[in-house]
Amino acid sequence: MNFKHILSVVKKDLRVESRGKETVNFMFLFTFISLLMFNFATDPFSPVLNDVAPGFLWFVFIFAGMLGLSRAFLKEKETGTLQGLSLAPISNDDILYAKIIYNLILMLGIQIIAFPLFIVLFNYNIAGSTLDAFLVLTIGNVGFVVVGSFMSALVMSARSRELVLQIIVLPLLLPVIILIIISLRKVMIDAIPLLSIGEIKLAASYVVIMAVLASLLFDYIMEE
Amino acid sequence: MTELTPAEVAMFRQIMAVAAILWTLLIIYIGYLDSKVRSLDERLK
Amino acid sequence: MKFQRKQAVILLAVLWAVVLYAMYQVLFSLGPLSEELLRFEGDPMRHGYKIFFFSMQAAAITYIAFAVVLVGSVVYLRTKNLKWDTIASSSAKVGIVFTTILLVNGAIFSNVGWGAYWNWDPRQTTSLFLWFILAAYLSLRTAVDNIETRARLSAVLGIFGFVGVPLTHISSTIWVSNHPQLYNTAQSSGFSLDKSGLTLFMILMTSFLILYIYMLWLTYKIETQNQIYQNILRGEQ
């Protein structure tokens, strides 16, 4: 693990992104649109909204994330820069970490924009602390990004990659998705402080296991 | 000792019948696959 | 001694008879659940607990199938011998059948015990999670053309997917669950089997284990033949 290498790959990705801004723009617009869609799904003034809104908020990130994640390695594959990347004197693990960090930056950016947007659009009163809700979402997004980036590399050589990616990532993330929704509801509806929620610890440990497995197995994906 | 009421006996008979049919079908299907695999094995040799 | 057609027929016939006999015994001559474990008068669990004899077997076979996928994947990544990849994928195929049986059994159990086919009990949800993982594993395999790439990628996914097994196993302990506990923990409402029940349980377990191994062998054969066939096709082109 070499931080300088990781940082340089992250920098490279951010620079490429800042030129075209394809992924970020799409992700942001998609987040906006799906927030609107979910708003239409329920009557905005009915009390039901209070119960379902945390789930909606989390799903918005999952859908937007799917859009961005599938680009992480596929972009490299399509433009043919993957070879260059694997020829560079950077260990495979560092490439994976760099991709995870880059995706995380994207997701956090989306989160910072979408979270206030959600509160405004849904007219939502968070019962617990706003920071806790934000942190729960961040933990969920970390898990999502770890599994998603890894699997994005896995499906690189598959046919109809974007489709296969969803089918693989969503089942593997099912525990995290469920646990995050439960803890999000606990924070946003029942106003329970973050540290006394058991589910979030469980989700975090699942994410850690996934991250360890990912770094152990990444070498096998990159060998051609 | 078994303490089954008549209603339970009737229900269990039904369950048994359905399960027996499904189980028989599964075994027949596996046997069919087995014979197919064996004949293919001979042809591939 | 080679495994001949005649032996296969005998094996299947014996399996058929033994399982039917054991099932008959479980349904009609096994006693009801002991009184102190019943929750109320006329509790359907009085005899409904017998579903356990079948869902437990399916769950055990599902775990074993996942373990075989894991072992096959790890050994493939170490040795790059395609045989192991075929074993892993065959085990996944057989495993998805048993996981489906587990889910159906679980749904019936849930309906008897809790009054709804799908109760979103942690055990049920995580078992569905196992089913999805196997489905993802098998669909990844259909999406990759190159045999070696397919083997490598699905081996990685097979190792990842094994995480679901311990998760399912501990799910009813770490979450609030209605699922009966098999171990005597402090808060558990675990039940124990008497001698005849245990014998029937072991008979069923053994026969399903043999069935699993036999199905694995059969699927392995079919997969190998498929590969040979495809090699022949490629040779002709």
Side-chain angles (χ1 to χ4, degrees):
Chain A
M1 203 161 153
N2 187 328
F3 285 105
K4 234 164 119 187
H5 290 166
I6 298 176
L7 211 65
S8 62
V9 176
V10 172
K11 256 190 201 154
K12 175 223 110 191
D13 273 336
L14 284 176
R15 190 169 299 144
V16 170
E17 188 56 46
S18 72
R19 280 187 199 137
K21 297 191 193 62
E22 302 165 320
T23 320
V24 175
N25 283 346
F26 285 144
M27 273 169 87
F28 171 68
L29 281 176
F30 187 74
T31 314
F32 201 2
I33 287 176
S34 42
L35 269 176
L36 279 180
M37 293 305 222
F38 280 137
N39 225 332
F40 296 141
T42 55
D43 179 2
F45 300 106
S46 95
V48 179
L49 191 65
N50 205 37
D51 288 340
V52 291
F56 283 171
L57 176 61
W58 174 222
F59 280 147
V60 162
F61 287 117
I62 296 209
F63 292 154
M66 273 299 178
L67 210 66
L69 281 182
S70 54
R71 306 293 309 154
F73 278 94
L74 300 185
K75 196 172 58 193
E76 305 269 0
K77 180 97 178 175
E78 278 163 12
T79 52
T81 47
L82 188 72
Q83 241 172 0
L85 203 58
S86 50
L87 279 176
I90 301 173
S91 76
N92 285 337
D93 283 359
D94 288 349
I95 297 177
L96 176 68
Y97 298 142
K99 288 289 179 188
I100 290 175
I101 290 170
Y102 164 68
N103 274 326
L104 198 60
I105 292 172
L106 281 191
M107 288 302 280
L108 283 179
I110 297 290
Q111 210 176 310
I112 289 166
I113 301 168
F115 197 69
L117 209 59
F118 162 81
I119 293 173
V120 171
L121 284 178
F122 279 73
N123 210 358
Y124 199 85
N125 272 326
I126 297 175
S129 105
T130 313
L131 184 68
D132 280 0
F134 197 80
L135 283 178
V136 169
L137 277 176
T138 311
I139 293 172
N141 278 335
V142 169
F144 184 62
V145 158
V146 167
V147 177
S149 311
F150 180 81
M151 291 303 160
S152 160
L154 186 96
V155 298
M156 257 187 316
S157 38
R159 269 182 284 118
S160 53
R161 309 168 189 126
E162 279 93 349
L163 221 59
V164 177
L165 183 69
Q166 329 277 327
I167 287 180
I168 293 174
V169 169
L170 286 180
L172 275 175
L173 270 175
L174 215 57
V176 176
I177 294 173
I178 295 170
L179 289 169
I180 291 295
I181 288 186
I182 294 174
S183 21
L184 209 54
R185 290 168 71 101
K186 279 190 176 168
V187 167
M188 289 172 76
I189 299 170
D190 305 331
I192 299 172
L194 179 70
L195 286 174
S196 51
I197 300 174
E199 276 85 0
I200 199 72
K201 289 167 195 158
L202 216 58
S205 35
Y206 187 84
V207 170
V208 170
I209 292 172
M210 283 284 155
V212 170
L213 270 180
S215 58
L216 282 178
L217 292 170
F218 193 65
D219 274 340
Y220 291 108
I221 288 183
M222 293 300 274
E223 68 182 43
E224 291 276 338
Chain B
M1 171 217 153
T2 54
E3 304 171 44
L4 285 170
T5 61
E8 279 170 339
V9 170
M11 191 178 76
F12 282 2
R13 283 216 175 109
Q14 274 178 19
I15 295 172
M16 189 74 205
V18 173
I21 290 169
L22 286 177
W23 176 242
T24 314
L25 284 178
L26 179 72
I27 290 287
I28 290 173
Y29 178 63
I30 293 175
Y32 162 76
L33 275 184
D34 183 278
S35 73
K36 215 173 165 184
V37 164
R38 277 165 208 281
S39 57
L40 247 178
D41 237 11
E42 275 157 29
R43 264 172 54 196
L44 281 172
K45 262 171 199 164
Chain C
M1 196 177 78
K2 253 195 105 198
F3 188 51
Q4 298 288 346
R5 189 186 292 255
K6 212 163 123 196
Q7 281 139 353
V9 171
I10 293 170
L11 177 73
L12 279 179
V14 169
L15 268 183
W16 181 81
V18 165
V19 169
L20 276 189
Y21 169 77
M23 187 176 175
Y24 185 84
Q25 290 293 322
V26 165
L27 280 182
F28 291 103
S29 56
L30 211 63
L33 206 59
S34 59
E35 290 297 327
E36 66 264 25
L37 285 177
L38 295 182
R39 298 160 299 179
F40 50 86
E41 188 68 24
D43 189 345
M45 269 317 192
R46 206 170 82 94
H47 281 287
Y49 81 97
K50 289 172 177 175
I51 300 161
F52 156 81
F53 278 87
F54 298 92
S55 63
M56 175 66 203
Q57 325 290 358
I61 302 291
T62 304
Y63 289 177
I64 291 170
F66 262 89
V68 173
V69 172
L70 175 73
V71 170
S73 303
V74 170
V75 177
Y76 173 75
L77 286 181
R78 289 234 165 257
T79 62
K80 302 282 168 187
N81 186 345
L82 277 172
K83 198 177 99 186
W84 288 97
D85 172 59
T86 318
I87 289 177
S89 75
S90 314
S91 180
K93 276 184 187 164
V94 180
I96 205 165
V97 174
F98 278 94
T99 316
T100 312
I101 295 173
L102 168 67
L103 286 174
V104 171
N105 263 315
I108 296 171
F109 185 84
S110 158
N111 192 33
V112 172
W114 311 317
Y117 279 110
W118 201 265
N119 197 40
W120 292 113
D121 188 73
R123 257 295 156 79
Q124 264 182 319
T125 314
T126 43
S127 305
L128 186 64
F129 169 55
L130 290 183
W131 191 89
F132 270 121
I133 288 178
L134 283 181
Y137 177 88
L138 291 174
S139 43
L140 175 70
R141 291 187 70 86
T142 60
V144 185
D145 289 326
N146 184 304
I147 294 174
E148 256 129 44
T149 316
R150 181 175 69 195
R152 188 160 46 82
L153 297 184
S154 56
V156 170
L157 189 61
I159 295 171
F160 248 87
F162 190 78
V163 174
V165 171
L167 191 77
T168 306
H169 196 73
I170 59 172
S171 63
S172 58
T173 349
I174 52 178
W175 275 294
V176 180
S177 167
N178 294 323
H179 194 279
Q181 305 280 327
L182 284 178
Y183 320 106
N184 286 320
T185 48
Q187 78 280 18
S188 84
S189 57
F191 67 94
S192 51
L193 293 167
D194 58 354
K195 201 157 169 255
S196 60
L198 203 64
T199 319
L200 283 173
F201 183 84
M202 290 322 285
I203 290 175
L204 278 170
M205 189 70 232
T206 322
S207 21
F208 280 118
L209 198 60
I210 292 172
L211 184 71
Y212 164 74
I213 294 170
Y214 181 54
M215 279 167 87
L216 181 65
W217 175 81
L218 206 60
T219 321
Y220 177 76
K221 272 285 199 192
I222 294 173
E223 297 262 300
T224 325
Q225 285 181 352
N226 220 355
Q227 277 166 21
I228 295 172
Y229 178 67
Q230 262 158 23
N231 281 344
I232 293 171
L233 273 189
R234 217 167 291 144
E236 277 173 359
Q237 271 168 11

